[in-house]
Amino acid sequence: GDLHGQDASTWPAGAAALVMIDWQKDFCDPNGFGASLGNDVAPLREAIPVAAAVLAAARAAGMPVIHTLESHMPDLSDCPPSKLRRCPAIGQSTTDAQGQAMGRMLIRHEPGNALIEELSDQPGEKVIFKPGKGAFSGTDLGAHLKALGITHLIFTGVTTEVCVQSSMREANDRGFECLLVEDATESYFPAFKAATLAMITAQNAIVGWTAKSADVIAAMQGN
């Protein structure tokens, strides 16, 4: 079936991909970039087991998987001055709770700029290094999905209102049908997540649909 109407947990066989947005230590670790801004990472960590279950189901179904990492080149040449002014912690060094170096925050290939172990990529899965909040801006994601014949995208990730929503809006503008797994996305601010889910689905799914992980997993198993 098509991704239309109130039953959002359906898509044409072979036409969907799972997009895992920014499940990186920078955002999820208690000593990472997100925490350095004064955020509590506990809400994000609550969604990790759910995202892991969705990821396992997608893999079992043979669905293409794309992982994204918000990251910059070591010389910050792809980090606009305006972004650096708002987030001066970018490129600064940090350590974890055990005193182990996590490297420079939001810098490509540094220890903290890696996917968390629970949601790490497997061979053959695309990993996108994105310099911005959206997964399409400045990356080859669009070309990759086109080559695969993908028309429907299923999203998990963090944070709901920033990188996930930005990526969904970019995808929507490019003609993809989008579905966000409600319990496999989180924000440092619960009210922001709730508002984002409402905005995405308003006015006949102006950006996309949302659904519970149990329904999405069942649909993956059924396809």
Side-chain angles (χ1 to χ4, degrees), residues 159-166 186-189 192-193 196:
T159 62
T160 312
E161 78 279 6
V162 184
C163 293
V164 175
Q165 179 174 207
S166 292
E186 266 303 337
S187 169
Y188 300 118
F189 310 100
F192 288 2
K193 174 183 173 179
T196 302

Side-chain angles (χ1 to χ4, degrees), residues 2-207:
D2 226 334
L3 190 60
H4 293 297
Q6 295 306 305
D7 180 13
S9 298
T10 55
W11 48 83
L18 176 64
V19 184
M20 305 284 289
I21 298 289
D22 293 7
W23 288 109
Q24 62 201 70
K25 295 177 183 178
D26 286 313
F27 300 140
C28 299
D29 191 279
N31 297 92
F33 173 75
S36 78
L37 301 179
N39 298 306
D40 179 6
V41 301
L44 272 58
R45 299 200 64 83
E46 289 178 4
I48 292 172
V50 183
V54 174
L55 178 59
R59 286 169 172 162
M63 183 177 289
V65 177
I66 297 99
H67 305 265
T68 73
L69 291 161
E70 183 175 351
S71 60
H72 293 286
M73 301 296 289
D75 63 0
L76 297 180
S77 58
D78 57 355
C79 182
S82 60
K83 182 176 183 179
L84 197 56
R85 278 195 295 271
R86 287 164 176 77
C87 298
I90 294 173
Q92 300 302 306
S93 297
T94 186
T95 56
D96 66 15
Q98 286 74 44
Q100 297 294 315
M102 292 181 67
R104 299 170 65 206
M105 291 182 276
L106 291 194
I107 300 300
R108 190 180 297 198
H109 301 310
E110 291 286 328
N113 195 236
L115 297 171
I116 58 174
E117 292 179 8
E118 299 94 326
L119 299 173
S120 59
D121 59 303
Q122 290 186 353
E125 295 177 349
K126 178 80 167 175
V127 177
I128 297 275
F129 294 98
K130 61 183 187 63
K133 297 172 178 63
F136 290 84
S137 179
T139 76
D140 65 349
L141 178 57
H144 178 71
L145 295 173
K146 183 177 182 180
L148 293 176
I150 298 299
T151 57
H152 292 53
L153 299 178
I154 301 162
F155 287 87
T156 78
V158 296
T159 62
T160 312
E161 78 279 6
V162 184
C163 293
V164 175
Q165 179 174 207
S166 292
S167 298
M168 287 189 72
R169 289 181 180 274
E170 286 186 337
N172 175 264
D173 282 347
R174 288 161 174 77
F176 292 96
E177 292 280 12
C178 299
L179 172 65
L180 176 58
V181 186
E182 298 169 14
D183 44 341
T185 182
E186 266 303 337
S187 169
Y188 300 118
F189 310 100
F192 288 2
K193 174 183 173 179
T196 302
L197 296 179
M199 285 188 285
I200 285 170
T201 57
Q203 302 175 75
N204 195 32
I206 193 166
V207 175

